[in-house]
């Protein structure tokens, strides 16, 4: 009789305990996710403050769009490494062929 009572008590405690442990682990995961999202929001807020700064907007326009102010003389320095990279096709794309080898030979552009 005592064994039945102990088993019944074990079953009545086991289900709520399992639910508690599951909810606790879910809560830990959600707290970690919340911390990640708060860090992401802080990063976006920092970026928003940068974008609202007129000096930052000017710097981005100069860097990305190569804008210059009126009266300034723009200079573009192109290094040999930059030229070689620009001539190469993007990865996964075949280089363009101007024609068959015999057509290029006939036209005299085989060596170019």
């Amino acid at each position: 009789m005592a064994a039945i009572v102990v088993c019944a008590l074990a079953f009545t405690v086991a289900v709520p305990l399992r639910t508690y442990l599951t909810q606790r682990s879910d809560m830990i995961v959600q707290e970690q996710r919340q911390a990640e999202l708060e860090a992401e929001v802080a990063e976006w807020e920092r970026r928003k403050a940068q974008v609202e700064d007129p000096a930052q907007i000017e710097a981005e326009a100069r860097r990305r769009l190569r804008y210059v102010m009126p009266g300034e003389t723009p200079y573009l320095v192109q290094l040999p490494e930059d030229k070689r990279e620009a001539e190469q096709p993007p990865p996964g794309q075949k280089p363009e062929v101007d024609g068959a080898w015999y057509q290029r030979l006939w036209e005299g552009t085989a060596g170019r």
Side-chain angles (χ1 to χ4, degrees):
M1 178 80 176
I4 294 175
V5 171
V6 170
C7 287
L9 287 175
F11 283 126
T12 57
V13 171
V15 173
L17 182 63
R18 188 187 79 195
T19 304
Y20 169 76
L21 293 175
T22 303
Q23 288 177 349
R24 184 176 170 146
S25 66
D26 289 345
M27 186 178 70
I28 291 171
V29 169
Q30 292 302 322
E31 286 174 349
Q32 290 173 346
R33 179 69 179 141
Q34 181 180 1
E36 292 171 3
L37 290 174
E38 287 174 353
E40 189 176 336
V41 166
E43 175 64 25
W44 282 112
E45 291 291 333
R46 185 190 64 78
R47 181 68 180 140
K48 179 183 172 191
Q50 281 182 346
V51 171
E52 290 175 348
D53 183 22
Q56 181 68 24
I57 293 171
E58 181 180 335
E60 288 291 322
R62 287 176 178 271
R63 185 178 63 85
R64 289 185 184 180
L65 305 174
R66 296 189 173 112
Y67 279 12
V68 293
M69 296 300 287
E72 293 180 344
T73 304
Y75 292 99
L76 181 62
V77 178
Q78 187 171 7
L79 301 174
E81 299 88 36
D82 296 339
K83 188 174 182 183
R84 278 186 251 138
E85 290 176 6
E87 290 174 355
Q88 294 177 353
Q93 186 180 32
K94 294 182 181 179
E96 292 184 21
V97 179
D98 294 336
W101 65 271
Y102 52 85
Q103 288 176 335
R104 291 189 312 230
L105 181 63
W106 184 260
E107 295 169 357
T109 60
R112 295 182 196 162

